[in-house]
Each structure stands twice: as C-alpha cells, then as structure tokens.
Amino acid sequence: MDKEVTLHRGLQGVYFDRSETTFIDGKEGILEYRGYNINDLAEHSSFEETSYLLIYGKLPNKEELSEFDAMLKSYRKLPEEIFDVINVVKDSHPMDALRTTVSALSSFDEDRNDNSEEATIRKGIRLTSQVATIVMAHHNIRNGKEPIDPSDKLNHAGNFLYMLNGKIPDQDTIDLMDKDFVLHADHGSNASAFTARVVAGTSADIHGAVTAGIAALSGPSHGGAAENVMQMAKDIGNPENAENYVKNLLVNRERVMGFGHRVYKAEDPRAGHLREGVRKLSHQMGEPEWYQILEKVVEAMSPYARRGIHVNVDFFAGVIYYLNGIPQDLFVPIFAVGRIPGWTIQVVEQFRHNILIRPLLQYTGKRKQGYIPISDR
Ligand code: ACO
C-alpha cells in the first residue's frame, strides 16, 4: 500500500455534485421532485406531467402539458430497422435486449450528432416513448408474435399495457400503472443515474448514458428486486409460511428482497402508495393471498425496522405487475420505462456544468517486481 487514505467504499455518504431535481431525506423518508412531495405527485399528477416537471423544472399549464403529451405520442413508433435489432437479440433477458436496442437507436436519431441541451432533451423525450415500445415489442417478438402498434388514444401507462396483448385495460389498472411510473421517475444519484452521469461526464451522448444506466439498473441490488420479491412470494405460497421463510433467510444471513435502502433509513415514501394498490388489486382479482403474504413478510421483518431496514419501492411493485399478467422478467424493464425522464434530466444537469468523474483507487497490489523473461518462468 502506498499511503494512508480515507476510503469511501461504495461512495457511501459522498456528495459528488449539486442537483436541483430530486430531494431525498433518508432519515425522515421524504422524497420531492423539484420541491413537490412525492405523495402529492402520486395522488394528483400523471407520468406525463411529472416527466415535464422533472425535465423543465416547473408544473406545466394545460397547453404545455397537451403539447408535451402530443410530442410523447408522436415518438411512440420505432424505426423499422430497430425491429431487426430486436429480432437478433430476442432470446436475451428483456433488460439486455433493451440495453442493446437503446444503444442501436442512437444511429436512427435525427439529433445523433448534437449534444446541445435542447437536442439532449429532445432525445430524452423520444427515448421516454421509445423504451416503452421496445419492451413490449421484444416481449411479443420473443413469443413468436407480431409487435402491437402503439396507440395514440391512450396515455403512456395505458399504451404500455395495451402493447402487451392488444387489450385496453380498465381505468383503475391504467391509473395504478401511471402511479407506478410517477413513483419511479427519478431518485437522485442512485446507481443507474450515477452511471449515466459518469458516461455524460466524458461528454458522451444521452443514448450512451441511458444504455449504461439500463445496465446498472438490471442488477438485483438495484432494479432487480421486484422480480425477486415476486419469486419470494411464490416460494412462500401461503401467508402462514411467511414467518418461517423470512427467519430461514435471516438465519442464513441472506437478504429479504424489497427491504433496505442505501439512503432511506425510514420507510421508502414510495412504498405505501403501491401497498394500497396491491391490497385493492389482489382483492379485485380474487387472489387476496398475495397481499396477505406480503403483509406477513413485513410483520416478520418488523424487528429490523429498528436497524433502519424497511420496505422499499420494489416490495409491492412486483405483485401489481404479476396481477396485471405481466411476466416476471419484464418487472425491471418497467422500472426503466418509468426512469427515462430522471436519467434525461440527470444527463442534462451533468452537461450544464460538466466535469469528468474520475475517483481514485487505493492500490494494494505488489510493487517494484523485476521483469522475468517468459523462458525463465
Ligand atoms: N435483508 C436483510 N438484511 C439486510 C437487508 C435485507 N434486505 N438489507 C440490508 N440488510 C442488512 C445487511 O445484512 C447489513 O447487516 P450487517 O451490518 O449485520 O452486515 C446491514 O443491513 C447493512 O446492509 P448494507 O448492504 O451494508 O447496506 P447497503 O446500503 O449497502 O444496501 C441494499 C442497500 C443493497 C438495497 C440492501 O438493503 C439490499 O440488498 N436489499 C435487498 C435488495 C433490494 O430490495 N434492492 C432494491 C433497492 S431499492 C431500489 O433500487 C429501487
């Protein structure tokens, strides 16, 4: 080792820049986008309005919202060549297929050689629409079906669900999906947004930043938890088994998925909005056991609350997707669909006062080795 340094492994607790987008108080469990509390946005806003708020920094008036909505709708169709790309990677996990396809989309974007703020915002808005179409097109293509053309009659959430199987969902289902997208739209410098900023820090473009963000999001410590929570609920199978199941995990020092958060040491303020959704939906669908299983897991984890380990946003999301007939491996892509406006504004902020993000590693290997010719090794 060369010298004594203070290490911040995982960059825990390190501030690396300033942002005007998302405020998080992890101790109190507060989340605000542009100063607006997530509870108000979840109850009263829509994904379209929240995206505008994140990107432009203010709530839109009626005209601005309707223009923005029209713009989002106009970008829903994918360039024809993109379907060939999806076909080539159709057997990949949907997150891997999404990552490859977003990367390929840069070749077809009319602003591909323009890294100005205006062009970056245009590309971010286009990606917001296109990513939703890619996820469902890939899903249909991998099942040997034709992709379903997006509809311009539905909002972002309704159109996303419609492209799954061509059926228009009921309004409650659309509203719950819309809320889920609002709750996922941004979250400060989490692993995927930080990754996007690192890429933007080199002055690479937003397609590169979002591609890298998708790669970071795909891991189970970040976006993959909703998929794992659903698997856990299936493995538990019955509310009566939940307590023992959780005890076994903890005795073996394994993680209970959907619990814990690097920043929140109080309950994740997004989780409660989805809890109510699971309760209502599971009763409506005649499958109340899913809600009961999740609540039993929460009960079994209650001693961990004292250590700051509470449910996070992913805990209730998975069951909602499952009850809407969405396959488990599409859960993380849904997170990505909601997160594009957040990555867009993080990239824009990074560009505004850009700096190369380049921390240091403390070297702990050998030094001053004499070179040995291959014949002597
Ligand atoms: N179940 C059981 N114990 C846990 C959990 C959990 N879900 N989360 C943290 N702990 C414990 C750890 O075992 C550790 O205990 P120790 O100090 O006795 O070793 C302590 O809490 C601190 O854990 P860290 O891993 O150091 O905390 P960190 O901030 O790095 O982890 C993370 C955050 C990765 C989210 C973690 O809580 C986890 O793995 N959770 C499960 C996966 C999950 O739900 N991910 C989604 C995150 S939210 C999102 O991305 C939208």
Side-chain angles (χ1 to χ4, degrees):
M1 269 191 278
D2 47 1
K3 58 179 175 174
E4 277 309 306
V5 297
T6 308
L7 278 184
H8 297 278
R9 291 199 68 238
L11 300 182
Q12 285 201 58
V14 172
Y15 288 87
F16 73 96
D17 217 322
R18 298 192 172 89
S19 169
E20 294 180 346
T21 307
T22 295
F23 171 81
I24 304 170
D25 182 335
K27 263 196 198 147
E28 298 296 327
I30 300 170
L31 168 63
E32 293 172 2
Y33 298 159
R34 301 284 192 179
Y36 293 92
N37 194 292
I38 195 67
N39 297 327
D40 291 332
L41 295 170
E43 289 311 315
H44 307 298
S45 187
S46 63
F47 178 69
E48 285 79 354
E49 185 182 72
T50 295
S51 303
Y52 185 102
L53 171 69
L54 282 169
I55 293 172
Y56 297 108
K58 68 174 193 103
L59 284 171
N61 62 29
K62 258 191 187 167
E63 236 174 46
E64 288 164 335
L65 182 58
S66 117
E67 242 175 59
F68 186 69
D69 182 47
M71 204 169 15
L72 280 171
K73 283 180 172 147
S74 74
Y75 294 143
R76 283 179 182 168
K77 284 200 170 161
L78 300 173
E80 266 313 305
E81 296 89 333
I82 282 297
F83 292 100
D84 296 337
V85 176
I86 298 177
N87 244 308
V88 170
V89 295
K90 69 177 184 331
D91 296 326
S92 301
H93 186 282
M95 276 304 268
D96 299 342
L98 181 63
R99 190 192 60 220
T100 301
T101 312
V102 165
S103 178
L105 263 182
S106 71
S107 307
F108 304 96
D109 198 291
E110 60 198 69
D111 288 313
R112 65 182 170 278
N113 295 320
D114 188 348
N115 255 9
S116 67
E117 179 160 331
E118 296 71 25
T120 300
I121 288 177
R122 282 196 297 275
K123 288 187 269 190
I125 296 170
R126 275 198 279 278
L127 279 170
T128 302
S129 298
Q130 290 165 330
V131 161
T133 312
I134 294 169
V135 171
M136 288 312 190
H138 169 254
H139 176 64
N140 280 309
I141 289 172
R142 71 176 171 164
N143 286 319
K145 295 183 187 156
E146 281 296 311
I148 291 159
D149 275 344
S151 156
D152 58 7
K153 306 273 178 303
L154 298 163
N155 67 4
H156 189 77
N159 174 59
F160 179 66
L161 292 169
Y162 166 74
M163 290 187 296
L164 178 69
N165 53 19
K167 290 186 196 136
I168 298 178
D170 63 58
Q171 198 55 47
D172 279 356
T173 306
I174 294 178
D175 291 347
L176 191 53
M177 193 74 240
D178 183 57
K179 191 178 286 202
D180 180 273
F181 285 149
V182 168
L183 295 169
H184 281 94
D186 192 39
H187 208 240
S189 74
N190 53 74
S192 54
F194 180 70
T195 304
R197 275 183 179 263
V198 171
V199 174
T202 69
S203 297
D205 72 350
I206 188 170
H207 281 84
V210 170
T211 302
I214 291 169
L217 181 65
S218 65
S221 296
H222 191 2
E227 192 175 332
N228 294 333
V229 172
M230 190 63 229
Q231 194 50 51
M232 173 174 74
K234 284 181 178 169
D235 292 345
I236 292 174
N238 186 316
E240 284 154 30
N241 302 336
E243 193 180 343
N244 269 338
Y245 185 95
V246 170
K247 269 190 188 152
N248 273 335
L249 282 181
L250 296 174
V251 164
N252 293 318
R253 297 198 60 77
E254 287 180 50
R255 306 260 159 139
V256 181
M257 288 293 132
F259 276 81
H261 197 277
R262 174 61 66 81
V263 181
Y264 292 121
K265 300 305 166 198
E267 187 172 300
D268 181 336
R270 302 166 296 178
H273 294 280
L274 298 180
R275 168 188 264 129
E276 182 50 23
V278 175
R279 194 189 63 74
K280 259 171 85 178
L281 195 62
S282 63
H283 279 90
Q284 262 169 24
M285 307 289 260
E287 299 183 43
E289 64 277 12
W290 297 115
Y291 178 68
Q292 291 158 1
I293 289 171
L294 294 189
E295 283 303 330
K296 286 283 177 197
V297 172
V298 174
E299 231 175 271
M301 282 297 283
S302 60
Y304 277 68
R306 258 179 278 124
R307 293 177 51 190
I309 300 171
H310 301 264
V311 278
N312 59 51
V313 67
D314 277 343
F315 187 70
F316 293 104
V319 170
I320 293 177
Y321 308 148
Y322 171 80
L323 289 171
N324 282 329
I326 298 173
Q328 236 158 277
D329 62 1
L330 293 192
F331 294 3
V332 203
I334 294 178
F335 192 152
V337 171
R339 187 50 64 84
I340 306 293
W343 287 333
T344 299
I345 189 59
Q346 303 266 349
V347 168
V348 167
E349 277 195 339
Q350 185 65 37
F351 281 166
R352 270 184 198 156
H353 47 115
N354 212 353
I355 183 167
L356 187 73
I357 300 172
R358 205 293 186 200
L360 296 169
L361 280 170
Q362 183 183 24
Y363 179 71
T364 56
K366 292 177 184 167
R367 293 209 46 217
K368 300 189 176 156
Q369 298 288 294
Y371 182 80
I372 307 162
I374 195 159
S375 54
D376 297 347
R377 282 177 230 159

